[in-house]
Every structure is written in structure tokens, then in C-alpha cells.
Amino acid sequence: MKLFALFLLILIVNLINAGCPYLDSLKKNHKQRNIKFNNNQLNRMSPHAVSFEDNAQFSDDPFTLANEQFLEHYKAAKEASITVKLNYPIILSTGNELRLLLNGTLSGTVITENMIPDLYTKLKVIAHTPLNVYAILFPYVYGIDDPNRRVNFKEDTIDLLQKTRTIYQNLLPSVYNTNWVSAVQKDRQVTMLNAVISFLSDLITIKDISYEQLVSFTKSLEDDIVKNINAAGKYQIEEIHGIVQSWKRRYILSSWDNLRVLVSGTHFASNENLVSQYFKWQLPNPNHVVISGEPMNDEELFYILSVTLVDTDVGSTFFQDDSFMHADVLRNSARAWIDYQKIFGGIPDG
């Protein structure tokens, strides 16, 4: 029913626009001369009129024309959604920082906190040491049919391995002097770093590598790497929790339910992202957490927010489900078609 309603809406828009005297006139006049609209002219047409590009090219096809107008107006609605004064705060998660925008804008009061504790960084650095070695050796062994075949290093690779070993040897004293949470945690860092240094020394001596040898090395450190990852995640989420609880007490108790959170991450950012998981647990409405799959600047993040605000309202207004537009609207059709294929085979009618 939801898809039918959406289809019906689009059909109505197409029929109206295709027979609209004003648009027909606009197309006709545009062919005869270049027409330029200013904002005042457009605002007189409608409070939501968009600023069409100067000398915009309109299609003769009424379906295309209707679609172009829809896209322009939908874009304008998104842009308008973030120009109004927001009555709720926004938290931006970018890089190592959490920023609280009390007035929902960067031009208002902004409180910034570092959400990355020192131990998080140190645990991550140690966990990355075997990954660094793997990255250096990966071009030599990737795609080789025989995992036991040994590949000789080039001279510049041997130099790089020696340089890397020196860096890690110089890191060892700092590892010993760090105030780790426990002796067990400290021993794990020392053991992992010594294992990496020893492996580098062996490679520098024999000057070759096999894929099997590299896999054996990485697997030997798997448990220690996972323990570092889990500990680092625990420390970060505890840091975030402390910051947010402090903000709740000091600034946003009355508006917490309407808070929006924008998370700028990496290509791995998803619903499982640590920061997004935390805020989805904290906020009454998980749809108030907006995730970007790539690092973005503030302007790009606010555009993502604008898309979310409009799509949320469309979902609620048309489909009584404010999350409906947060995924592909064709998803139900895809599921139905694939399920039919699994059960009956062939292509279903309709």
C-alpha cells in the first residue's frame, strides 16, 4: 500500500505539471528567448518557489519536466529545513571531537570536547604495529597461487623493514613507562611489540617472505590485537558517556529528547559505529542519529541533516513511518520479487 501511495502521488504530480498552463507557457517562452527569474519573481509565485538556474533547459517531455520540477523543489525543501531556526541542540562527532551546538548552529554557542582518551590511542598504536608490517609485505604475497612460495625482497623494502624495526625499538621504552591499567595490559603491549620486532629481524636476515609465513605471524597476535581493540573501545565509549552526561546536566536537560547527532566517520561507519551505537542507546528516537559513511566538513554534515529532516517528515506524513524514507523505498518490491523467485521461479506478474 505504501508503494502504491507513492506511485499515485508521483502520477498526480506528473498529470498536474503536464497540463499546467504556466509551465507550458514557460517552456514556450524559453524557446523564444532566454528567461531569467530573480528571487522576488519566484517568491511571488509561491513561498516555496525555487531559484531555477538562469537559462535552465526544460525538456519537451512532460514526464521529464515534472520530474525535474520535483527534484528542484525537493532539493529546495532540504535546503530550507536547515535555514530555519532549530529549537533543539545538535552534537557533531568529527575526528577526535564531540561538539555541542546549543542553538543548533555553528554561529551560536559551541562546546568542544576531545572524546579520545590517551590509553585508547596507545592501545591502537600497538595493535597497528603488526598491521603496519602486513601492509608493507602485502604487495609481495597477495595473489600468489602457492602460499608457501617465497618471494625475495627488493633492496628498498629491506631498508624500510630496518627503519620500521628501529621505530618500534625506540617505542619500547615509552611502552614500559606508560601508566597502563594493569600489569597484564602492560605485558601484552610489550609482548606484542617484541614479537613484531623479532619478526622484522627475521625478515631482514632471510630477505624473503611467503604468504603462509605472513599469515602465521598475524594469527599468532590475533588474541592480543582483539584485546587491545576491545579495551580501546571501552575507554572511548566511557569517555563519550562522561562528556554527554556532563552536557546533559549543564546544558540540555529540557531539550534532550529533540537532540540530533551527526556522526562523520570512515567508509566503515554504519549502524555498528561506536559513536552511533552510543547515541542510539541514549536518545529516545534512534532516527535522530545521522551517520555519514565518509569524513565530511560541517557544511556537508548539515546537508545530510537536512536530507534526514525532510525524509523523516515525508515518511511520517505519507506513510505513518518516520523511518520509511531512511532506506530505499523500493526495498519491499525487491524483497517480494526475490521471495517469489525463491519459491516459484520465473518473473511474477504485476
Side-chain angles (χ1 to χ4, degrees), residues 13-193:
V13 171
N14 286 334
L15 291 174
I16 292 173
N17 289 337
C20 177
Y22 166 72
L23 290 176
D24 288 339
S25 173
L26 180 63
K27 289 168 54 182
K28 181 178 179 181
N29 291 337
H30 179 73
K31 291 179 179 179
Q32 297 172 353
R33 57 189 175 86
N34 290 334
I35 297 176
K36 296 185 179 181
F37 297 99
N38 59 42
N39 288 334
N40 290 332
Q41 289 173 310
L42 289 168
N43 288 337
R44 284 197 297 272
M45 298 175 196
S46 164
H48 301 292
V50 297
S51 298
F52 291 104
E53 295 289 336
D54 289 347
N55 304 321
Q57 298 297 316
F58 292 101
S59 171
D60 288 326
D61 176 39
F63 283 98
T64 301
L65 178 61
N67 188 54
E68 286 177 350
Q69 192 202 43
F70 160 72
L71 293 175
E72 287 283 355
H73 286 153
Y74 205 56
K75 179 182 177 183
K78 295 171 184 176
E79 293 171 349
S81 71
I82 55 172
T83 60
V84 299
K85 181 176 176 58
L86 301 178
N87 59 353
Y88 47 77
I90 291 175
I91 290 179
L92 297 181
S93 169
T94 54
N96 296 344
E97 292 182 343
L98 280 182
R99 283 177 290 163
L100 172 61
L101 283 54
L102 282 175
N103 310 113
T105 173
L106 289 164
S107 60
T109 303
V110 179
I111 297 96
T112 302
E113 296 283 354
N114 177 24
M115 64 175 171
I116 305 297
D118 183 57
L119 274 185
Y120 168 96
T121 301
K122 291 180 177 179
L123 287 166
K124 183 178 71 172
V125 168
I126 301 300
H128 280 171
T129 58
L131 180 59
N132 183 38
V133 174
Y134 169 88
I136 294 172
L137 301 174
F138 177 81
Y140 282 93
V141 297
Y142 181 70
I144 293 179
D145 293 335
D146 181 1
N148 292 304
R149 182 162 72 88
R150 306 198 67 81
V151 180
N152 295 324
F153 295 138
K154 297 178 181 178
E155 199 61 39
D156 58 347
T157 301
I158 297 174
D159 292 340
L160 179 57
L161 294 174
Q162 290 173 334
K163 178 181 178 180
T164 304
R165 180 179 63 178
T166 299
I167 290 172
Y168 292 161
Q169 287 171 334
N170 293 336
L171 177 59
L172 262 177
S174 296
V175 172
Y176 278 108
N177 293 329
T178 295
N179 186 24
W180 301 101
V181 168
S182 66
V184 172
Q185 189 178 75
K186 177 179 180 178
D187 289 344
R188 185 168 71 246
Q189 313 315 308
V190 173
T191 298
M192 198 182 316
L193 194 53

Side-chain angles (χ1 to χ4, degrees), residues 81-82 86 88 260 304-313:
S81 71
I82 55 172
L86 301 178
Y88 47 77
R260 271 24 178 221
I304 295 296
L305 173 62
S306 74
V307 173
T308 304
L309 292 174
V310 174
D311 284 351
T312 297
D313 199 66

Side-chain angles (χ1 to χ4, degrees), residues 216-228:
S216 177
F217 162 70
T218 58
K219 286 186 177 297
S220 70
L221 296 175
E222 178 183 356
D223 289 343
D224 289 339
I225 294 171
V226 170
K227 288 175 182 177
N228 269 27

